[in-house]
Amino acid sequence: MLLAMNVLGIACPFWHDPSAALVVDGEAVAAAEQERFCRRKHAPRELPVDAARWCLDFAGLRPEDVHAVAYPWSVAALRRNLWPHVRRYFGRRPGKALKAVLRTGRNRRKRVGKLAPTLKGLGLDPERVRIAYVDHHLAHVASTVHASGFEDCAVASIDGIGELTTCLFGVARGGRFETVSEIQRPDSLGLFYAAITDYLGFEVNDGEYKVMGMAAYGDPSRIDLSDLLVSRDGDLWLDIDYLWTPKSKRWHRDRVFGRKFVERFGPPREGDAIDEPYVHIAAAAQQRLEEAAIGLIEHHLEPALRKTRRLCLTGGVALNVVLNRRLMQHPWIDEIYVPPSPGDAGTALGAAAWTAMELGDPVTPLRDAYLGPDYDGDAIARELEGLRIPYERLQDPPATAASLLAAGEVVAWFQGRMEWGPRALGNRSILGHP
């Protein structure tokens, strides 16, 4: 009798979006972010103990049933890309390049050090469980390639930063992945957009979608950002005197844009107004992101795209749906797949899928995004009664919801399992009359 292979993915190498996922016999059975349990958006600096415990409980597994733990951060990747990273920095900030070398050990301890207390919180001994350290971008890659069901495709992982890599391009053949090219920090599309997000008064790693929405109100021809983010001949260059600036040159120590950016474009946006020049800056940033991302994909992946006409896209930048729409319209692309959770939270499932494949388990394509907790009517009733909130059980909830919507009311719609990723796909949604 063959025993099931249980791989638990745990993502917490960064300060935001810790998560956990479980792959059993090559199938994703559970995935959830820690924020869903602690009720703090993005769960900053928390360990995904609750999320991982729920995954095991949902599958009826004990900690000792876990065959391997997959972690989406790798010391090997850090070391492999250290010198390309140093060379990029050296001409611009020699001191920063030297610090990158000297702080490698501290960076490793900081990232990997979060795993042991997470495992101990689950009742797992870090010394006795098998741990697979998966390159961060390979975890991103697995989250899209294995979920897509594509046998052959071009692959792009475009992120802020993982280890030291910001962009990774490659080709998937028969479920296996081959890297074509990488770009290292400080040159990053994700960090570029995050700095613009900060300047426009939104929170980094949270408000980027607001910049994307604001861009629709602006005119990109009114603002020139072309010299701050240069993409040419398959490479990328970010002017760190303006964006993601060293602390000594920042407008404020807690902001990631430089004094030179403020001198050129004016004071950062405050308040809720959607006005000039900020809407134009948002539009110009969106345009530069699209132009650079598409240019890089074309340069590195043209042969694979022309052959397969399929693209798997992942990384935090893949959350930019306006960019995704442009890629869908690209003449070389017939099919595009973006996983439900392309950001860092999604690497828990990606790392687990990658590790399952490495251990010989073929991974089943993802059927849907409903991988989180569900609650039956009795559980909800007990919660409402404990909070002394009145309720009634409905014979026909859809008809009642339709009547409320027709009357101009807003409906919170809750059913089935929670979605995986930052989307409202009908199981946890707010509905309103259009």
Side-chain angles (χ1 to χ4, degrees):
M1 179 178 178
L2 296 177
L3 297 176
M5 175 69 74
N6 306 316
V7 182
L8 179 65
I10 292 179
C12 56
F14 304 101
W15 69 269
H16 61 92
D17 299 311
S19 62
L22 182 66
V23 172
V24 177
D25 280 349
E27 182 177 357
V29 299
E33 295 185 45
Q34 179 65 19
E35 70 170 20
R36 305 298 188 175
F37 301 91
C38 69
R39 300 170 67 89
R40 294 176 62 215
K41 193 173 185 182
H42 301 297
R45 297 181 176 82
E46 292 208 19
L47 301 176
V49 175
D50 298 315
R53 183 180 293 120
W54 172 79
C55 287
L56 295 177
D57 289 345
F58 177 82
L61 299 177
R62 300 164 299 173
E64 55 266 31
D65 296 325
V66 174
H67 296 100
V69 170
Y71 194 65
W73 199 89
S74 162
V75 176
L78 179 68
R79 291 171 176 164
R80 183 177 66 248
N81 292 312
L82 177 60
W83 292 112
H85 162 71
V86 168
R87 285 194 295 271
R88 283 183 174 271
Y89 253 128
F90 195 78
R92 288 175 267 181
R93 290 282 182 272
K96 191 78 172 177
L98 178 61
K99 286 180 180 179
V101 176
L102 298 177
R103 293 179 177 176
T104 300
R106 188 175 76 175
N107 191 9
R108 176 186 61 80
R109 290 190 295 272
K110 181 180 178 181
R111 306 297 186 185
V112 176
K114 295 182 178 182
L115 180 56
T118 304
L119 295 178
K120 289 177 181 176
L122 291 172
L124 278 167
D125 185 347
E127 301 296 325
R128 309 190 88 176
V129 67
R130 180 174 187 167
I131 299 175
Y133 294 97
V134 181
D135 293 9
H136 183 74
H137 277 271
L138 293 184
H140 275 307
V141 166
S143 78
T144 183
V145 170
H146 296 318
S148 71
F150 293 165
E151 282 295 312
D152 303 290
C153 61
V155 186
S157 176
I158 306 176
D159 208 9
I161 180 173
E163 289 104 10
L164 295 170
T165 299
T166 64
C167 302
L168 183 145
F169 305 96
V171 180
R173 297 185 181 92
R176 293 294 175 178
F177 177 77
E178 177 183 344
T179 298
V180 171
S181 182
E182 296 179 64
I183 297 173
Q184 280 76 39
R185 189 176 183 176
D187 304 309
S188 165
L189 290 177
L191 294 184
F192 161 75
Y193 210 78
I196 298 294
T197 299
D198 190 23
Y199 174 79
L200 292 176
F202 304 118
E203 186 177 342
V204 172
N205 292 320
D206 178 66
E208 284 80 359
Y209 73 98
K210 298 178 183 178
V211 176
M212 182 180 66
M214 182 186 283
Y217 295 90
D219 179 358
S221 68
R222 300 275 296 275
I223 299 290
D224 184 11
L225 299 177
S226 60
D227 59 319
L228 305 189
L229 181 72
V230 179
S231 178
R232 186 184 301 121
D233 300 326
D235 206 354
L236 195 64
W237 183 85
L238 178 67
D239 193 332
I240 58 174
D241 284 337
Y242 283 84
L243 299 171
W244 219 265
T245 310
K247 289 185 178 180
S248 62
K249 294 182 177 292
R250 290 182 181 180
W251 178 76
H252 184 278
R253 65 183 303 273
D254 294 329
R255 311 297 288 271
V256 297
F257 51 89
R259 291 190 293 271
K260 290 181 70 172
F261 195 93
V262 175
E263 290 167 2
R264 179 168 163 181
F265 296 107
R269 174 180 171 273
E270 296 181 356
D272 296 325
I274 301 178
D275 54 11
E276 299 182 2
Y278 305 110
V279 291
H280 306 313
I281 293 171
Q286 178 67 30
Q287 184 181 71
R288 286 300 302 130
L289 178 82
E290 294 172 22
E291 292 172 346
I294 292 170
L296 290 169
I297 288 170
E298 289 177 340
H299 182 91
H300 294 291
L301 300 177
E302 179 180 357
L305 286 175
R306 288 190 181 276
K307 180 179 179 180
T308 69
R309 306 194 63 82
R310 290 171 170 170
L311 174 67
C312 276
L313 181 66
T314 187
V317 173
L319 288 165
N320 192 297
V321 295
V322 179
L323 166 64
N324 297 351
R325 182 186 62 191
R326 283 199 57 188
L327 286 167
M328 288 175 65
Q329 297 167 344
H330 196 284
W332 301 348
I333 299 172
D334 290 338
E335 295 180 89
I336 182 170
Y337 184 87
V338 179
S341 185
D344 284 344
T347 60
L349 184 54
W354 183 275
T355 301
M357 285 287 291
E358 291 295 296
L359 294 176
D361 254 356
V363 174
T364 304
L366 206 60
R367 291 192 296 268
D368 56 55
Y370 303 114
L371 296 174
D374 63 348
Y375 305 90
D376 62 24
D378 291 339
I380 294 170
R382 287 194 298 272
E383 189 73 17
L384 293 173
E385 289 165 1
L387 295 170
R388 297 184 178 179
I389 296 175
Y391 68 91
E392 63 176 301
R393 292 181 183 266
L394 302 174
Q395 294 298 317
D396 192 346
T400 303
S403 297
L404 290 168
L405 292 172
E409 300 291 342
V410 175
V411 174
W413 188 260
F414 183 107
Q415 65 179 356
R417 296 181 67 180
M418 186 181 295
E419 302 95 332
W420 172 236
R423 297 282 182 263
L425 302 175
N427 281 13
R428 306 288 188 274
S429 295
I430 298 174
L431 310 179
H433 195 302

